[in-house]
Amino acid sequence: MASAMMLGVTVLGVTLLAPAARAEVVKLSGELKGSNEVPPNNSSGSGKAEATYDTDTKTLTYTVTYDGLTGPAMGAHFHGPSEAGKNAGIALPFKSTQSPIQGTATLTDTQAADLLGGKWYANIHTAANPGGELRGQMAK
């Protein structure tokens, strides 16, 4: 009986000392270039998309900067799911097209899996390049 009680106390102690599952904050980024577009273009513009994803709260926080476009940005979004070299629909529209674009969003499990799997890209659209002037695949 005493050994059974000691076993119970030991199991309880180990359970209480075991680390709880921890949230992870994953950093992602993508270099925005015309050569990343499908089809590629010769834009001299450039930019960067930087983001963090909190696996506990499922919150994506992002900042997208760019300059040197052929004209004003007419649209800006995350697209997916798609690998580099392929196009996809809009996964998450940005609330602004003005650089720097900043925002947060709560993602679904499917969206998070696509983003963390490298299947989202940031895209900046202009009148001269309505399909996209600058594109950057998001990667860890």
Side-chain angles (χ1 to χ4, degrees), residues 65-92:
T65 56
Y66 63 82
D67 61 13
L69 298 179
T70 57
M74 306 299 286
H77 333 271
F78 281 123
H79 289 254
S82 177
E83 296 82 24
K86 296 182 180 177
N87 289 323
I90 296 169
L92 180 68

Side-chain angles (χ1 to χ4, degrees), residues 29-120:
S29 65
E31 293 294 323
L32 279 63
K33 302 187 258 183
S35 60
N36 291 340
E37 287 290 347
V38 179
N41 65 58
N42 61 1
S43 173
S44 61
S46 64
K48 184 162 186 123
E50 297 177 295
T52 58
Y53 178 71
D54 185 315
T55 60
D56 184 42
T57 64
K58 300 182 181 186
T59 301
L60 175 68
T61 303
Y62 57 87
T63 299
V64 180
T65 56
Y66 63 82
D67 61 13
L69 298 179
T70 57
M74 306 299 286
H77 333 271
F78 281 123
H79 289 254
S82 177
E83 296 82 24
K86 296 182 180 177
N87 289 323
I90 296 169
L92 180 68
F94 299 147
K95 294 179 182 169
S96 169
T97 58
Q98 298 294 324
S99 182
I101 300 167
Q102 297 178 317
T104 60
T106 302
L107 302 186
T108 66
D109 290 340
T110 300
Q111 288 175 317
D114 289 340
L115 172 67
L116 297 175
K119 295 182 178 179
W120 273 25

